[in-house]
Amino acid sequence: MAPHPTLAVLGGGQLGRMLGLAAIPLGVRCRFLDPSPTAGASAVGVLTVGALDDVAAVSATIAGADALTFEWEGVPATSLLPAIDAGIPVAPGVQALRTSQDRGVEKQQFKALGIDTAPYWLIETRSEFDAALRELAGPGILKTCRGGYDGKGQARIANAAQANAAWQQLDGVPLILEGLVAFDRELSVLACRGRDGTTVVWPVTENEHRDGILHTSIVTPATVSDAMQARAHHIAARLMDALEYVGVIAIELFQVGDTLIANEFAPRVHNSGHWTIEGSATSQFENHVRAVLGMPLGSTELRNSVVMFNAIGSLPDRDAVLAVPGAHFHSYDKVPLSGRKVGHITVVDPSTETLQTLRDLLQ
Ligand code: AMP
């Protein structure tokens, strides 16, 4: 490998920006493709402005690159093919990307590996929907198989009127009806697999969502039993081995008693792993760069308990955050918009007062 390898990245949002930032000390030069000329990753690499399915723009981004990766699972799988044809390593691979892009295929993949999921039905017609509702006989969530994120493209159903409304809202594309899981809490497990199959896993993260958007991630291993950690690690390892996966994966899980139910996975670095920048010996971003370029992976050891708050819609006052002991400020350099993730704050080993101060600043 060259001392200064080039990593091509499809997408140049905040995840690309943090990947680029982690790549710099490794001597890795990043190139990003993004439709926006103001994409946040332009601060940490060379930006090509173009659509993610624009063949010429993809070719310009990957020309002479040592590896190709992506920071968004909405990237068209066909945009990975020119790199594969050119012999450039692509990680994660096409199979992982395609599986994650369709909730039905994703659930079938979990099931095939013996990983528990919510009960689900794949639906294309109203009569299939009605039959599934009868079988479910309880509350559910109707979701589009493709394209939904942050709670978009889905509707909850607890009665016949809501079923009708959900159908009217979402009909027209392949859908999946899931039984509503009465979970104790939402967790995610992040792991990274290298080209040689070596796998490292970060401690399980507990996540709180508001209005379908991740709001807070908490990592306090004392609250996740060793057995639960092992179960989550096992799920990640099984999925990554099956997909011959390379890079960071995030699997969203529901905890119900002692069981873990897989909701979905993201074939990329993930919002619920932002805490690893300050909270872990090696961040998810650095390990992803290492993995996709075939470098040895770093330790995922937890430095301390960590809490990450997303800044949604607007950033809190920077100086006020920096005045809080142990707090780290991350701006994505994005135009503030309601519901948009524009930054995050991580705090290591916080006291209860520190957490309250940050919550107040983020109001
Ligand atoms: P998703 O887009 O699948 O990540 O769903 C967004 C959020 O909706 C999840 O983080 C959960 O809070 C909730 N959710 C999704 N699917 C289910 C389910 N089958 N049962 C209970 N809650 C769910």
Side-chain angles (χ1 to χ4, degrees):
M1 177 69 58
H4 296 288
T6 296
L7 176 60
V9 185
L10 299 182
Q14 66 263 24
L15 300 179
R17 181 178 168 99
M18 289 184 269
L19 278 173
L21 207 51
I24 290 171
L26 300 174
V28 174
R29 293 167 180 159
C30 287
R31 272 194 220 145
F32 299 93
L33 173 62
D34 196 276
S36 166
T38 58
S42 62
V44 290
V46 176
L47 175 69
T48 299
V49 179
L52 296 174
D53 60 355
D54 179 327
V55 177
V58 170
S59 299
T61 308
I62 64 170
D66 294 279
L68 171 66
T69 190
F70 47 88
E71 56 113 60
W72 181 49
E73 66 275 30
V75 166
T78 47
S79 294
L80 304 185
L81 303 182
I84 294 171
D85 291 344
I88 297 169
V90 175
V94 174
Q95 194 198 347
L97 178 61
R98 287 212 164 109
T99 304
S100 74
Q101 285 176 336
D102 186 306
R103 290 183 190 276
V105 179
E106 189 178 41
K107 287 273 192 306
Q108 281 158 354
Q109 175 74 77
F110 283 133
K111 204 171 166 182
L113 295 171
I115 297 168
D116 289 338
T117 68
Y120 68 92
W121 294 262
L122 301 180
I123 283 160
E124 297 211 2
T125 64
R126 178 73 209 218
S127 60
E128 284 172 353
F129 181 47
D130 289 336
L133 284 172
R134 277 195 298 276
E135 265 188 63
L136 171 61
I141 303 190
L142 187 64
K143 301 178 179 177
T144 58
C145 282
R146 302 178 71 89
Y149 68 98
D150 281 350
K152 297 187 178 70
Q154 52 183 264
R156 290 188 179 223
I157 299 171
N159 53 44
Q162 286 176 356
N164 282 332
W167 184 256
Q168 271 166 20
Q169 185 193 331
L170 300 174
D171 175 32
V173 291
L175 299 171
I176 184 168
L177 174 68
E178 296 178 15
L180 193 73
V181 177
F183 53 77
D184 300 324
R185 55 183 178 166
E186 293 193 74
L187 305 174
S188 58
V189 59
L190 280 99
C192 185
R193 189 170 181 272
R195 281 189 192 165
D196 62 358
T198 305
T199 298
V200 294
V201 188
W202 282 270
V204 167
T205 306
E206 182 177 351
N207 301 308
E208 290 170 18
H209 294 83
R210 285 195 198 162
D211 303 324
I213 303 177
L214 179 67
H215 186 272
T216 308
S217 291
I218 303 169
V219 189
T220 40
T223 70
V224 182
S225 69
D226 289 350
M228 201 59 74
Q229 297 276 3
R231 227 161 277 160
H233 292 191
H234 187 59
I235 289 173
R238 235 196 278 174
L239 182 61
M240 288 195 296
D241 286 346
L243 295 171
E244 294 179 28
Y245 198 89
V246 174
V248 167
I249 199 169
I251 308 174
E252 295 182 20
L253 303 161
F254 301 133
Q255 181 182 345
V256 182
D258 284 342
T259 37
L260 289 177
I261 291 172
N263 179 31
E264 60 179 357
F265 75 89
R268 54 166 171 80
V269 287
H270 192 256
N271 195 169
S272 70
H274 289 359
W275 65 266
T276 60
I277 296 175
E278 291 91 4
S280 165
T282 315
S283 77
Q284 61 163 346
F285 301 101
E286 178 170 345
N287 261 344
H288 187 74
V289 173
R290 292 190 193 201
V292 300
L293 284 163
M295 300 174 186
L297 304 183
S299 158
T300 53
E301 194 182 325
L302 185 70
R303 290 214 163 112
N304 248 320
S305 70
V306 196
V307 178
M308 188 264 346
F309 297 102
N310 268 338
I312 298 167
S314 63
L315 283 169
D317 181 77
R318 179 175 47 205
D319 288 358
V321 170
L322 295 179
V324 176
H328 297 266
F329 186 87
H330 295 257
S331 165
Y332 305 155
D333 202 3
K334 283 165 84 169
V335 177
L337 265 186
S338 168
R340 183 183 241 190
K341 294 169 185 167
V342 291
H344 72 266
I345 313 297
T346 303
V347 60
V348 176
D349 217 4
S351 65
T352 312
E353 296 76 46
T354 298
L355 288 179
Q356 193 51 51
T357 307
L358 289 173
R359 281 203 182 94
D360 293 344
L361 288 169
L362 280 154
Q363 285 302 310

